[in-house]
């Protein structure tokens, strides 16, 4: 969607019914990475260092190999994809330093295939996605929509 001339996005994990222990393990890990990522987006932070720190969290939880791509990217006026800068991706191979005025997403995602031992009931995608506007001292999250099991479990 476009808001005020800028493209934006909102993605959330939802689970219908009481989540299983396996689903909660994966979902809570993704939320932990998301929240740490929100803290790390600020002026002077290097994209590659953010990605490396978030990788460590997933690795500690033995979930890094289920990560599907980078942790976020810039947003712009052309579209969700075409408005972003290739040099402002939260990935290990991008050394861009975040500056005031950047508009950046934080969107970790885990994809658990069907039949993974120990995660049989957790198959699916887990994603939280917020957009931040970087200012002189940090970043403002402009998303304003709840995330995580407490906010997005839909009891049948």
């Amino acid at each position: 969607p476009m808001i005020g001339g800028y493209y934006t996005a909102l993605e959330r994990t939802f689970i219908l019914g009481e989540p299983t222990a396996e689903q909660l393990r994966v979902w809570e890990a993704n939320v932990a990475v998301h929240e740490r990522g929100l803290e790390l987006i600020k002026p002077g932070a290097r994209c590659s260092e953010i990605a490396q720190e978030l990788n460590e969290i997933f690795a500690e939880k033995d979930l890094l190999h289920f990560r599907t791509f980078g942790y976020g990217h810039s947003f712009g006026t052309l579209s969700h994809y075409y408005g972003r800068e290739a040099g402002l991706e939260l990935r290990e191979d991008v050394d861009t330093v975040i500056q005031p005025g950047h508009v950046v997403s934080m969107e970790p995602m885990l994809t658990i295939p069907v039949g993974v031992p120990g995660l049989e009931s957790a198959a699916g995608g887990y994603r939280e996605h917020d957009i931040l506007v970087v200012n002189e001292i940090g970043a403002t999250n402009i998303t304003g929509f709840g995330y995580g099991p407490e906010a997005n479990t839909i009891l049948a």
Side-chain angles (χ1 to χ4, degrees), residues 20-97:
T20 68
E22 295 166 354
Q23 288 172 319
L24 280 175
R25 173 179 171 255
V26 175
W27 198 359
E28 289 171 350
N30 203 59
V31 166
V33 167
H34 180 71
E35 289 177 342
R36 182 62 182 139
L38 294 174
E39 295 169 355
L40 292 171
I41 295 176
K42 58 188 172 190
R46 191 172 300 277
C47 293
S48 59
E49 292 171 359
I50 292 172
Q52 289 166 359
E53 183 169 333
L54 299 179
N55 281 346
E56 290 174 17
I57 298 170
F58 276 147
E60 289 170 5
K61 299 174 183 301
D62 196 28
L63 294 169
L64 181 59
H65 53 290
F66 297 117
R67 191 189 104 187
T68 53
F69 44 77
Y71 291 101
H73 55 80
S74 66
F75 272 78
T77 58
L78 298 176
S79 77
H80 170 253
Y81 183 78
Y82 295 107
R84 66 199 234 195
E85 301 292 329
L88 187 50
E89 299 264 347
L90 300 177
R91 296 189 329 237
E92 301 85 337
D93 61 335
V94 176
D95 286 326
T96 302
V97 176

Side-chain angles (χ1 to χ4, degrees), residues 6-10 12 33-43 45 50 54 71-76 88 90 98-108 128-144 147:
Y6 290 87
Y7 279 87
T8 186
L10 172 65
R12 290 291 188 256
V33 167
H34 180 71
E35 289 177 342
R36 182 62 182 139
L38 294 174
E39 295 169 355
L40 292 171
I41 295 176
K42 58 188 172 190
I50 292 172
L54 299 179
Y71 291 101
H73 55 80
S74 66
F75 272 78
L88 187 50
L90 300 177
I98 295 175
Q99 302 294 326
H102 285 166
V103 179
V104 183
S105 65
M106 173 48 56
E107 50 181 301
E128 314 307 325
H129 182 290
D130 286 347
I131 297 187
L132 297 95
V133 178
V134 180
N135 56 47
E136 297 295 328
I137 59 169
T140 302
N141 186 335
I142 62 170
T143 304
Y147 59 85

